[in-house]
């Protein structure tokens, strides 16, 4: 990778991490406002270290290592920058399983938002899909069936990857629904200690970070770049949490931009898993374009 590609990837990862974490950041800010000064400082410092190095650093590395066990822990970290052709072949062989699984997860996440979640309607057709919410599970099942059928002809392991991605989605979705209920309790109940709130916020943050981690593989399989890009985005989100969160709330279509980016990245990952050539610059450019459009749309509404 040349320096321009590396910079484009890092900035694309950072932007994607920021917009996909905005909703969680708003809730964090509301909970933090009801906590003591020391507890807020503790969460913002140690929570950031946990979010960057444990979740957004350890998880991508672990995923690559599990996908290509032959690389070992060090090889999984440096694989994308290793000149050894055997390493490149090992990563290329395992990448389709990883990509189809992550892509399935992201596509299901987008469809759940499109069909089931209340939203500010930013595009024509969103209200129609929301009214057809009952079709989410049928649509997801049909997509999964098609992916499994196509994967069986390409690589049976890819079929397992698609099923694993859908399983991960429904498991994480269950955790998120519980997390959202717990967040409401944190904001309304006064008998929960600050320490408990901090722990809950860190667990919730870990749950909501999976989108950014899996979406990062649409940009690159290089773990160091994922760590830098997602880490930078997480740092900016933490800063927004304590400084400009009220201003961010005014940009009502940022969630739309995040979810359309997630849907597009999921499709890109699935296409790449079937060896359909996708330029490396497409994921960051699409992210910049989609988020930029909805940011502009939100800005026009807020002024």
């Amino acid at each position: 990778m040349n320096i321009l590609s590396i910079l484009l990837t890092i900035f694309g990862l950072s932007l994607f991490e920021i917009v996909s974490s905005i909703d969680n950041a708003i809730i964090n800010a509301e909970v933090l406002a009801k906590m003591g000064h020391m507890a807020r400082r503790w969460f913002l410092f140690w929570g950031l270290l946990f979010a960057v190095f444990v979740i957004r650093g350890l998880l991508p590395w672990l995923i690559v290592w599990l996908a290509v066990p032959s690389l070992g822990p060090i090889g999984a970290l440096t694989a994308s920058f290793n000149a050894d052709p055997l390493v490149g072949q090992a990563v290329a062989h395992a990448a389709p399983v990883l990509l189809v699984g992550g892509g399935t997860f992201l596509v299901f996440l987008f469809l759940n938002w499109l069909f089931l979640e209340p939203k500010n309607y930013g595009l024509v057709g969103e209200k129609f899909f929301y009214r057809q919410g009952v079709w989410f599970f049928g649509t997801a099942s049909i997509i999964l069936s098609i992916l499994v059928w196509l994967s069986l002809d390409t690589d049976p392991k890819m079929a397992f990857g698609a099923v694993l991605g859908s399983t991960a989605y429904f498991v994480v979705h269950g955790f998120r629904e519980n997390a959202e209920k717990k967040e409401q309790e944190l904001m309304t109940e006064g008998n929960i200690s600050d320490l408990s709130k901090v722990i809950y916020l860190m667990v919730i943050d870990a749950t909501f970070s999976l989108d950014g981690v899996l979406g990062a593989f649409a940009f690159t399989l290089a773990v160091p770049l994922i760590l830098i890009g997602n880490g930078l985005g997480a740092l900016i989100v933490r800063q927004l949490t304590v400084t400009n969160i009220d201003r961010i709330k005014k940009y009502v279509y940022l969630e739309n931009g995040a979810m359309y980016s997630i849907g597009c990245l999921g499709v890109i990952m699935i296409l790449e898993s079937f060896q359909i050539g996708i330029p490396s610059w497409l994921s960051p450019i699409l992210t910049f374009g989609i988020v930029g459009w909805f940011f502009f749309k939100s800005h026009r509404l807020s002024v």
Side-chain angles (χ1 to χ4, degrees):
M1 297 179 70
N2 57 47
I3 187 65
L4 181 60
S5 297
I6 290 175
L7 290 175
L8 186 62
T9 299
I10 289 175
F11 289 137
L13 284 166
S14 299
L15 179 62
F16 179 65
E17 174 65 31
I18 291 168
V19 297
S20 63
S21 301
I22 287 297
D23 280 354
N24 193 37
I26 291 173
I27 295 174
N28 285 350
E30 293 174 348
V31 175
L32 287 171
K34 300 180 180 180
M35 293 166 56
H37 178 68
M38 289 300 297
R40 288 199 300 268
R41 289 187 58 186
W42 200 95
F43 171 73
L44 292 172
F45 179 74
W46 294 106
L48 178 62
L49 292 181
F50 179 78
V52 172
F53 294 104
V54 177
I55 302 300
R56 291 160 179 86
L58 181 62
L59 190 55
W61 167 75
L62 183 62
I63 290 173
V64 173
W65 186 11
L66 291 175
V68 198
S70 60
L71 293 177
I74 303 301
L77 184 65
T78 62
S80 295
F81 301 99
N82 197 317
D84 188 342
L86 294 179
V87 172
Q89 291 174 11
V91 173
H93 180 71
V97 179
L98 171 61
L99 290 172
V100 75
T104 301
F105 179 93
L106 294 181
V107 168
F108 280 18
L109 187 66
F110 167 72
L111 291 175
N112 179 85
W113 172 82
L114 187 64
F115 280 96
L116 298 178
E117 294 186 16
K119 61 182 72 65
N120 295 298
Y121 299 116
L123 290 179
V124 175
E126 289 178 354
K127 182 181 292 187
F128 169 79
F129 283 106
Y130 183 62
R131 289 174 174 172
Q132 317 305 317
V134 69
W135 287 100
F136 162 70
F137 295 99
T139 303
S141 299
I142 291 171
I143 291 174
L144 179 60
S145 299
I146 293 173
L147 287 176
V148 170
W149 177 260
L150 295 175
S151 298
L152 289 174
D153 286 336
T154 306
D155 182 356
K157 291 182 180 178
M158 286 178 57
F160 175 72
V163 172
L164 191 61
S166 68
T167 301
Y169 163 76
F170 286 109
V171 171
V172 171
H173 180 67
F175 276 111
R176 283 187 177 177
E177 287 194 333
N178 182 68
E180 289 171 353
K181 293 178 182 177
K182 183 57 65 176
E183 285 172 330
Q184 295 301 320
E185 293 178 13
L186 294 178
M187 289 187 287
T188 56
E189 293 187 12
N191 59 347
I192 300 178
S193 68
D194 282 353
L195 177 60
S196 297
K197 290 179 180 179
V198 168
I199 294 173
Y200 277 126
L201 285 179
M202 292 177 67
V203 172
I204 291 168
D205 184 69
T207 303
F208 279 84
S209 68
L210 194 57
D211 308 351
V213 171
L214 291 179
F217 289 111
F219 293 83
T220 179
L221 294 179
V223 175
L225 295 186
I226 294 175
L227 174 58
I228 294 171
N230 282 8
L232 179 60
L235 178 62
I236 294 173
V237 169
R238 278 295 191 280
Q239 186 63 27
L240 292 174
T241 301
V242 295
T243 57
N244 294 309
I245 205 66
D246 288 332
R247 184 177 179 182
I248 293 298
K249 288 180 181 179
K250 297 179 181 178
Y251 292 88
V252 296
Y253 296 120
L254 283 182
E255 182 185 14
N256 302 58
M259 298 313 301
Y260 282 111
S261 297
I262 284 173
C264 288
L265 294 178
V267 171
I268 287 175
M269 292 175 73
I270 291 172
L271 293 176
E272 286 184 328
S273 71
F274 287 98
Q275 308 300 318
I276 297 174
I278 304 293
S280 60
W281 49 261
L282 184 60
S283 292
I285 292 298
L286 270 178
T287 302
F288 286 127
I290 293 171
V291 174
W293 163 250
F294 282 103
F295 178 85
F296 174 72
K297 188 177 180 70
S298 299
H299 180 71
R300 284 196 309 178
L301 189 66
S302 64
V303 294

